[in-house]
Amino acid sequence: GAVVSQHPSRVICKSGTSVKIECRSLDFQATTMFWYRQFPKKSLMLMATSNEGSKATYEQGVEKDKFLINHASLTLSTLTVTSAHPEDSSFYICSAREDRGYGYTFGSGTRLTVV
Amino acid sequence: AQSVTQLDSQVPVFEEAPVELRCNYSSSVSVYLFWYVQYPNQGLQLLLKYLSGSTLVESINGFEAEFNKSQTSFHLRKPSVHISDTAEYFCAVSDTGNQFYFGTGTSLTVIP
């Protein structure tokens, strides 16, 4: 079946630094990928829709300059948290939609802790 | 726009007892419905989905869900739970297939 690899699974960084999270579709092409943020005991909040070869579409309230999304190929999307602060600490999850057929596959998530 | 309501935030149940996790949605158009399971510090895994056809869908590990259009519900059931079923369960709805709307999740705790 379809597999989405998300890396790293955990990252701890200092306040003010930037962190890059990768989301790869391993055995299928994904024109569209999605980035979610999950707070403790909360549901997933869609942050942005990543489109290969074009700009990402951000949800209302999500800072575009802080959460940079790049979808340079059909199998890779990256989320960069710039100038991270402790309030950015969260669980980030990506998902990819298969171009052929209907299906959404989620990555295993990245636990970001900003100290 | 769509929305999903999971009324039960926490459901404790004894091992081998039946369980039902409730999910209601609101939508003015036809939807696809999903249940995802999340184990601690992991991503979401698809449990089952309804796209069309039979309103009763089943997963390989004994869960089932029934799409009820008149009641706009997609409740998840299992006749006999195991310790390993302890996890967070999310109901989700999608219309065009381009975006998911998740419920707030139900934490299922199976008690030995």
Side-chain angles (χ1 to χ4, degrees):
Chain A
V3 177
V4 172
S5 173
Q6 189 171 339
H7 179 80
S9 58
R10 292 176 178 269
V11 58
I12 301 174
C13 70
K14 291 183 177 180
S15 184
T17 61
S18 296
V19 173
K20 179 186 285 188
I21 303 170
E22 293 186 348
C23 181
R24 294 180 183 273
S25 57
L26 296 186
D27 51 2
F28 65 98
Q29 293 185 337
T31 304
T32 305
M33 293 186 177
F34 305 89
W35 287 96
Y36 294 84
R37 181 173 179 177
Q38 185 178 36
F39 296 93
K41 304 297 183 183
K42 296 291 185 181
S43 185
L44 284 78
M45 179 192 78
L46 178 65
M47 299 175 63
T49 301
S50 172
N51 302 297
E52 187 267 336
S54 64
K55 293 182 179 180
T57 303
Y58 290 82
E59 295 299 302
Q60 189 174 6
V62 178
E63 299 177 60
K64 302 178 182 181
D65 295 332
K66 181 167 191 60
F67 298 100
L68 300 180
I69 292 174
N70 183 279
H71 195 155
S73 76
L74 287 172
T75 59
L76 174 64
S77 175
T78 61
L79 168 67
T80 302
V81 183
T82 62
S83 187
H85 292 285
E87 56 265 31
D88 298 326
S89 297
S90 191
F91 195 60
Y92 294 87
I93 305 177
C94 70
S95 74
R97 176 187 177 187
E98 297 178 52
D99 285 350
R100 292 182 296 177
Y102 183 93
Y104 289 82
T105 304
F106 285 80
S108 55
T110 297
R111 172 72 61 191
L112 171 63
T113 304
V114 184
V115 298
Chain B
Q2 287 72 40
S3 68
V4 180
T5 302
Q6 291 181 249
L7 291 173
D8 308 305
S9 59
Q10 296 186 15
V11 174
V13 62
F14 286 103
E15 192 175 12
E16 297 184 2
V19 69
E20 178 180 82
L21 306 184
R22 295 180 292 170
C23 173
N24 288 88
Y25 68 93
S26 65
S27 175
S28 58
V29 298
S30 297
V31 295
Y32 304 132
L33 296 158
F34 307 81
W35 275 99
Y36 285 86
V37 59
Q38 183 181 33
Y39 298 101
N41 293 311
Q42 294 187 26
L44 275 68
Q45 300 175 31
L46 179 64
L47 193 59
L48 46 77
K49 62 185 176 186
Y50 169 80
L51 302 181
S52 64
S54 173
T55 57
L56 183 66
V57 290
E58 299 177 348
S59 71
I60 59 174
N61 56 355
F63 283 95
E64 65 178 30
E66 186 164 17
F67 169 52
N68 189 318
K69 187 175 183 179
S70 62
Q71 296 185 4
T72 60
S73 67
F74 191 55
H75 301 329
L76 181 69
R77 303 184 184 93
K78 188 169 184 178
S80 177
V81 294
H82 301 291
I83 298 292
S84 59
D85 293 325
T86 295
E88 192 81 20
Y89 292 81
F90 292 96
C91 181
V93 62
S94 174
D95 52 4
T96 63
N98 285 327
Q99 193 173 115
F100 275 37
Y101 298 90
F102 284 92
T104 50
T106 298
S107 179
L108 173 64
T109 301
V110 180
I111 305 166

